[in-house]
């Protein structure tokens, strides 16, 4: 039975050829998703990937604004980075680490070994060093520093310890990469919000998740983060959207983030980003990085 106030079942899920499928129980689906994500922490925290991340601005406003015209001609950026998705000892939350190696093809000084050194390290300063990598990577974003644009952000929001903060609703079915999934919406109703603005203030989370019903495996998630302001137009302008698609990677034997898209606020318009994740390889704490077969 669904828990009052936290989960809602929205009608039948009969969509086209899916009518023969039994309607899943929402509580069972959430339980499988929660179990999957808890186990997934340990698996995903053993790999590093290469990321190519393209960002660009889409500007609006007065065409006679000289500053906007200048920016419209050249505000795009490509980041080439190593990324890891860690839950460090003593650190309860997911920590998405983007160690930027190149910006628009130019090398970033000191980036060659920082992430590899960190994941092999131990000691009290590991968290401080990880935070420094997060902060340094965020500075290269168009639209200002932010750290929500990591595939680990939706994973943290959807961790089962946060389920009581959300209303979950079954909304349909989709097939992703040949896998039958159940589509489920979620919306945060509790404040203070799970995600806070860089200068304070609630940022309410909502979105959609695509889950394989039999296993709880996560194949796609879209997260929308919106400030709590009265002006609806301002809310739309400031909303951040992150969508992550997952795929099975033969080198590490896991379902891993393969693509992330992002929409974000920039002064005078919106920003768009797309990241691709390749070259997954395993590492072991206290040992060297393990390259993929043939790597």
């Amino acid at each position: 039975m669904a828990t009052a106030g936290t989960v809602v079942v929205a009608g039948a899920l009969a969509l086209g050829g899916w009518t023969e499928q039994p309607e899943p129980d929402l509580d069972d689906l959430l339980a499988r998703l929660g179990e999957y994500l808890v186990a997934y922490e340990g698996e995903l925290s053993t790999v590093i990937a290469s990321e190519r991340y393209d960002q660009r601005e889409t500007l609006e406003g007065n065409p006679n604004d000289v500053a906007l015209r200048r920016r419209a001609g050249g505000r795009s950026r490509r980041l080439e980075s190593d990324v890891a998705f860690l839950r460090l000892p003593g650190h309860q939350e997911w920590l998405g680490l983007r160690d930027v190696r190149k910006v628009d093809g130019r090398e970033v000084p000191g980036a060659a070994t920082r992430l590899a050194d960190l994941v092999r390290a131990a000691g009290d300063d590991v968290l401080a060093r990880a935070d420094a990598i997060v902060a340094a990577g965020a500075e290269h974003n168009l639209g200002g520093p932010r750290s929500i644009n990591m595939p680990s952000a939706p994973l943290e929001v959807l961790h089962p310890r946060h389920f009581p903060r959300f209303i979950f609703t079954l909304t349909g079915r989709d097939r992703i990469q040949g896998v039958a999934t159940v589509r489920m919406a979620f919306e945060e109703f509790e404040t203070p919000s799970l995600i806070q603005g860089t200068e304070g203030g609630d940022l309410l989370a909502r979105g959609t998740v695509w889950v394989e019903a039999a296993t709880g495996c996560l194949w796609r998630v879209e997260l929308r983060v919106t400030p709590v302001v009265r002006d609806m137009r301002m809310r739309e302008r400031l909303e951040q959207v992150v969508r992550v698609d997952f795929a099975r990677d033969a080198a590490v034997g896991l379902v891993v983030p393969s693509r992330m898209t992002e929409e974000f606020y920039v002064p005078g318009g919106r920003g768009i980003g797309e990241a691709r994740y390749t070259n997954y390889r395993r590492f072991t704490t206290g040992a060297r990085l393990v390259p993929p077969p043939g790597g």
Side-chain angles (χ1 to χ4, degrees):
M1 179 178 294
T3 304
T6 61
V7 292
V8 177
V9 178
L13 295 177
L15 294 176
W18 295 93
T19 53
E20 74 281 2
Q21 297 287 336
E23 183 175 290
D25 180 86
L26 183 54
D27 282 341
D28 288 345
L29 187 62
L30 285 172
R32 292 192 187 102
L33 174 61
E35 291 171 1
Y36 173 81
L37 289 176
V38 169
Y40 193 52
E41 294 174 8
E43 295 289 346
L44 195 61
S45 290
T46 66
V47 299
I48 289 178
S50 299
E51 178 193 63
R52 190 182 73 180
Y53 189 10
D54 292 301
Q55 303 178 13
R56 63 183 177 86
E57 292 181 340
T58 301
L59 299 178
E60 303 170 351
N62 185 352
N64 296 319
D65 188 318
V66 175
L68 282 180
R69 287 207 313 271
R70 288 174 178 170
R71 289 173 54 203
R75 289 298 297 259
S76 64
R77 185 160 297 166
R78 170 169 288 180
L79 307 180
E80 297 174 57
S81 312
D82 287 326
V83 296
F85 317 107
L86 304 179
R87 192 179 296 278
L88 297 176
H91 192 65
Q92 190 179 32
E93 299 176 352
W94 277 98
L95 191 62
L97 298 173
R98 174 178 288 116
D99 196 8
V100 180
R101 295 182 288 105
K102 294 183 180 179
V103 178
D104 294 333
R106 297 187 296 274
E107 298 279 351
V108 175
T113 61
R114 292 185 307 182
L115 186 54
D117 289 344
L118 175 71
V119 299
R120 294 194 299 259
D124 295 338
D125 67 335
V126 170
L127 183 56
R129 292 166 61 186
D131 285 341
I133 292 176
V134 171
E139 289 181 357
H140 297 292
N141 288 315
L142 290 181
R146 63 191 181 281
S147 58
I148 193 175
N149 56 339
M150 287 290 291
S152 53
L155 298 179
E156 174 59 29
V157 169
L158 289 170
H159 193 281
R161 70 173 176 274
H162 299 314
F163 282 179
R165 305 183 64 92
F166 294 92
I167 294 173
F168 291 88
T169 307
L170 296 176
T171 59
R173 299 177 185 266
D174 292 298
R175 189 172 292 276
I176 300 175
Q177 299 188 48
V179 177
T181 68
V182 177
R183 188 172 67 247
M184 181 168 52
F186 60 93
E187 184 168 1
E188 187 175 18
F189 66 88
E190 185 174 314
T191 56
S193 61
L194 185 61
I195 300 173
Q196 293 286 303
T198 55
E199 298 180 357
D202 290 322
L203 300 175
L204 291 176
R206 60 187 174 91
T208 307
V209 59
W210 287 258
V211 180
E212 187 176 357
T215 64
C217 181
L218 182 64
W219 286 95
R220 177 181 295 160
V221 57
E222 181 179 275
L223 171 65
R224 293 177 176 267
V225 178
T226 310
V228 180
V229 294
R230 293 184 178 180
D231 187 329
M232 292 298 296
R233 292 184 63 185
M234 182 61 67
R235 288 181 62 184
E236 292 176 357
R237 289 187 60 199
L238 296 178
E239 183 178 64
Q240 298 179 67
V241 185
V242 175
R243 173 170 154 168
V244 183
D245 286 279
F246 296 80
R248 188 169 298 280
D249 187 276
V252 294
L254 292 175
V255 174
V256 294
S258 60
R259 178 175 179 261
M260 179 187 73
T261 58
E262 181 195 15
E263 296 178 27
F264 53 95
Y265 168 78
V266 296
R270 296 284 286 170
I272 299 172
E274 180 179 13
R276 296 281 183 171
Y277 300 93
T278 58
N279 189 29
Y280 276 91
R281 61 268 194 202
R282 290 189 181 274
F283 66 84
T284 56
T285 302
R288 66 183 180 86
L289 288 172
V290 180

